[in-house]
Every structure is written in C-alpha cells, then in structure tokens.
Amino acid sequence: MTGSSSPAELSAVLGVNIDPDLLTLALTHRSFAYENGGIAHNERLEFLGDSILGQAVTVKLYRDNPELDEGDLAKRRASLVSSVALAEIARLIGLGAFIRLGKGEEQTGGREKPSILADTVEAIIGAAYLDLGGDEATALVLRLVAPLLADPARFGAAMDPKTSLQELAAQIGRGAPDYRIEDSGPDHSKRFHASVCLDDEVIATGVGSSKKQAEMAAALEAWTILQAAAK
C-alpha cells in the first residue's frame, strides 16, 4: 500500500524540493518493493543518508559546543543519530503517512515502527544529497534535528523515555510508573499495547512491535502529558 499523502506534500513539509521520483524511492520500504515485483527500494539511499546525517550533526555539535570534549561530543552525536531520535523527528513531521509499505507491514503498524521511520528519514536525507548536493542536504538535516536541539528536556525524554518519566513522576509527587502489556495478532507478527499507570491511573498508552517499543511509546506520551500539565 502507498502512503496517504503525496511526495509534493512532503517536500512542502521538509522545505526542500527533492525530485519526485527520487523522493518516492526514498519513501519505498522493501516490503512494498517485494510485493510489487522486486522494484527498487530505499535501503541504498538510507545507507547514503546515514553518512550525511552523521557528518552534519558532528560539525554542528563541534561548532556549537566548544566546551565539550571528544567523549561528550560523541555521546551527543550518538543520541541525535539514534533510531529513537530519528523516529521522534519522523513523528514530528508526520512522515508515517507518506511511506510506501507492503500489506504485511501496513497491517502490523509499520507506519509507527521506530526502525521504519528512522530508516526513511535517512533515505530522504540521501535523496536530498543526490538531487540537491551537500549544502542543501546538510541544511535539511539541521532543520530536522532543530526541534530536539531546541528542547533539551524533550530531547532527553525521547532518548530514554522510561527513565525520564520516572524522574518526572517523582518530581511531581506521583508514584513509580507501572506498565501493563497486552498483545494481539499471530505469533509471527504480534503487536504489543502498553498502558502506563501512575497511582493506578492510566496516563497514556503506546503500541509497538515489541514490549520494549510499546512501553517506550507509552512512556514518552505520558511524559509529554505530565510535562505540559506541570508548566
């Protein structure tokens, strides 16, 4: 199945005009490709984009943080280019609606899977590099990571949502988070649904292809709700 939105709409969201055919390739997951006669998919672009992403983030952190040593810079870079961070970026721009997925991935919530979201972000960066060059691709990377850099609290929560929720709950005098898991679907493609409770009150829910992913999604949603209420 294709995404519900067009590449042109995504270009507007990204603020950059990438060749429509190349952008469509960047949005094509291998599950869609295999179900449509083995057409090209986005994994080569993902490989390229990963390199561009790493370079752009490295230079940004180096220039903006002269007080940090190599070890601290490496930790921040690892956080910013992690699948969790890239998936968070993807959600902020609504990327899931644009991805071309096969029926199996569609039915098992592929548009919400952090790995698919993160890989697609990298593929788009790769497409921008091929079509527009290094400067435009770097500018795109910096626009994408800007929301996390501008909101250190949310950035930290996106990196480790369960710990961040536990710390926030303690700060506001709530009990320790309690996670409750249910699953659905056949054994080979289960979907996990997590509810996170504080003092026996369900604060938020999350879904994922593993218990860990579902709990992290629920924790980040709960953190967001509590953070907003505390302001």
Side-chain angles (χ1 to χ4, degrees):
M1 295 180 64
T2 60
S4 60
S5 302
S6 72
E9 291 177 271
L10 180 57
S11 284
V13 172
L14 296 171
V16 63
N17 290 317
I18 302 173
D19 175 78
D21 291 338
L22 197 54
L23 185 54
T24 296
L25 176 59
L27 297 169
T28 303
H29 187 257
R30 65 176 178 270
S31 62
F32 181 91
Y34 293 163
E35 289 182 14
N36 288 271
I39 63 174
H41 53 73
N42 65 6
E43 290 184 359
R44 280 174 53 84
L45 285 175
E46 173 199 336
F47 170 79
L48 175 61
D50 176 69
S51 179
I52 306 305
L53 169 69
Q55 180 181 15
V57 167
T58 298
V59 173
K60 172 70 172 175
L61 291 174
Y62 181 88
R63 288 177 171 169
D64 289 0
N65 301 278
E67 77 284 2
L68 296 182
D69 62 21
E70 183 270 343
D72 288 333
L73 287 171
K75 289 177 182 178
R76 293 199 183 188
R77 178 180 60 192
S79 295
L80 274 173
V81 303
S82 71
S83 293
V84 175
L86 294 180
E88 175 71 0
I89 289 167
R91 294 186 188 100
L92 289 173
I93 64 174
L95 183 59
F98 298 90
I99 301 174
R100 305 169 87 200
L101 293 173
K103 293 179 180 178
E105 283 291 355
E106 188 79 51
Q107 292 169 357
T108 57
R111 298 188 189 282
E112 303 165 359
K113 290 182 180 178
S115 59
I116 291 178
L117 291 171
D119 291 348
T120 307
V121 170
E122 291 180 335
I124 290 170
I125 293 168
Y129 178 84
L130 287 182
D131 187 36
L132 304 170
D135 290 345
E136 287 289 344
T138 296
L140 173 60
V141 170
L142 298 182
R143 286 197 299 275
L144 290 173
V145 302
L148 293 181
L149 289 172
D151 188 351
R154 183 166 182 82
F155 176 60
M159 295 305 95
D160 189 355
K162 294 182 70 174
T163 298
S164 295
L165 175 60
Q166 184 173 346
E167 292 174 348
L168 179 56
Q171 289 172 11
I172 62 176
R174 301 293 295 264
D178 176 41
Y179 296 88
R180 301 168 187 177
I181 299 287
E182 296 180 354
D183 61 68
S184 61
D187 289 342
H188 67 278
S189 60
K190 280 190 178 297
R191 294 290 291 159
F192 294 88
H193 306 260
S195 300
V196 59
C197 305
L198 295 176
D199 304 321
D200 292 323
E201 176 190 359
V202 176
I203 303 299
T205 60
V207 298
S209 57
S210 68
K211 291 180 181 179
K212 181 179 179 181
Q213 285 185 0
E215 288 179 350
M216 290 176 66
L220 183 57
E221 181 63 21
W223 181 91
T224 302
I225 292 169
L226 294 179
Q227 184 79 355
K231 290 182 178 179

